Amino acid sequence: MLTASEYSNHSRQNQPITGPAELNLPRVLWILSSTLEKLVARNEKLVDDLNQQLDKLSCDSVRLGKSLNAFHGVRAPGISIPKYLERIYKYTNCSPSCFVVGYVYIDMLNHKHPDSLVLSLNVHRLLVTSVMVASKMLDDEHYNNAVYARVGGVSNAELNKLELELLFLLDFKVMVSTRVFESYCLHLEKEMLVNGTGLKIERTLSPKSIETEILVEDKQSSSPPPIVDYGLT
């Protein structure tokens, strides 16, 4: 699984200042944002170290796998991972379990395509796409792609493309069993214990009955709350 244990002494400057209780947010948002921030920091340090070594040898910069290229932005977005997760939860009202299952998808990508790293350039698009697909798997009522696109700061057309990209990269294996869900909850909680924070993840997992085919434009949407627009780069 994606691990952050080697970063137990890493600087915590990127973590949100206020916890989930103060903001009335699910604990999983705090836990997931902390884990992903460390993952991104680790991967970008790895890329920087490799580039420095290649510079000394007068070689070209390191070449990463292209599997996640569709999720890359022009530059890293100005919104932090904690704030982005909070935005998704606030405007889509998806269940907390969707964030755990979204993380499962990202971890599956990491194992299937180990040369394609989760970086600041792609983590936001990976998150909104993964959580959206998870909501279709878990929640009886959920917003359609157009709403998630506006919340995520991308165009509807781009999110449609990213959804299909994610599904093909995962070979459409997006069903997550209760056993796998529980194992990831325990893993994420252990990562928080490493940092001296014993937070527990909400354990509600009630997958709805799922059609064998996932539609890009889901029709099960209602009027969303007023959304403050934000655009990813």
Side-chain angles (χ1 to χ4, degrees):
M1 294 183 184
L2 305 180
T3 179
S5 58
E6 64 266 44
Y7 276 75
S8 58
N9 296 320
H10 186 271
S11 171
R12 301 178 185 179
Q13 62 184 357
N14 290 327
Q15 293 184 1
I17 297 174
T18 53
E22 290 85 346
L23 297 175
N24 196 28
L25 297 171
R27 293 180 296 277
V28 65
L29 299 187
W30 170 274
I31 296 171
L32 183 56
S33 64
S34 175
T35 301
L36 287 175
E37 283 182 324
K38 288 170 186 147
L39 172 68
V40 169
R42 182 191 72 187
N43 287 343
E44 296 198 333
K45 184 178 186 301
L46 174 63
V47 173
D48 287 343
D49 289 347
L50 288 174
N51 280 331
Q52 288 179 17
Q53 293 178 24
L54 290 173
D55 284 343
K56 292 178 181 178
L57 298 173
S58 299
C59 297
D60 294 335
S61 60
V62 62
R63 294 183 180 180
L64 301 176
K66 298 180 179 180
S67 298
L68 300 183
N69 278 8
F71 298 90
H72 277 223
V74 177
R75 56 183 176 275
I79 186 171
S80 67
I81 293 174
K83 288 297 183 183
Y84 195 67
L85 288 172
E86 180 183 337
R87 177 180 172 84
I88 293 173
Y89 178 76
K90 174 182 176 181
Y91 289 121
T92 69
N93 198 33
C94 62
S95 61
S97 298
C98 293
F99 293 92
V100 177
V101 174
Y103 174 75
V104 173
Y105 296 157
I106 293 174
D107 193 43
M108 289 168 63
L109 290 176
N110 184 67
H111 283 87
K112 286 175 66 65
H113 310 279
D115 59 340
S116 297
L117 303 179
V118 177
L119 304 166
S120 57
L121 290 177
N122 59 32
V123 65
H124 294 76
R125 284 174 171 82
L126 282 169
L127 276 172
V128 70
T129 310
S130 298
V131 172
M132 181 185 72
V133 172
S135 74
K136 294 183 180 183
M137 297 295 99
L138 302 178
D139 295 341
D140 290 325
E141 295 184 5
H142 52 81
Y143 291 123
N144 61 18
N145 290 30
V147 173
Y148 271 90
R150 189 175 176 192
V151 170
V154 296
S155 70
N156 192 15
E158 181 180 5
L159 188 58
N160 290 346
K161 175 184 175 183
L162 294 178
E163 180 182 24
L164 286 175
E165 187 76 19
L166 178 69
L167 293 173
F168 276 107
L169 286 172
L170 295 174
D171 297 322
F172 284 79
K173 296 177 181 178
V174 290
M175 291 291 294
V176 175
S177 68
T178 302
R179 180 185 61 81
V180 171
F181 176 82
E182 178 65 20
S183 70
Y184 272 85
C185 287
L186 291 173
H187 167 72
L188 287 168
E189 289 169 354
K190 281 184 180 179
E191 292 301 309
M192 296 309 293
L193 282 175
V194 168
N195 295 329
T197 307
L199 293 177
K200 297 291 184 181
I201 291 176
E202 296 80 359
R203 290 293 208 283
T204 305
L205 181 65
S206 303
K208 67 180 182 179
S209 103
I210 304 166
E211 299 293 334
T212 56
E213 184 175 340
I214 301 174
L215 296 179
V216 171
E217 284 297 335
D218 199 293
K219 301 300 181 182
Q220 300 181 33
S221 60
S222 55
S223 298
I227 299 172
V228 177
D229 288 328
Y230 177 84
L232 295 182
T233 53

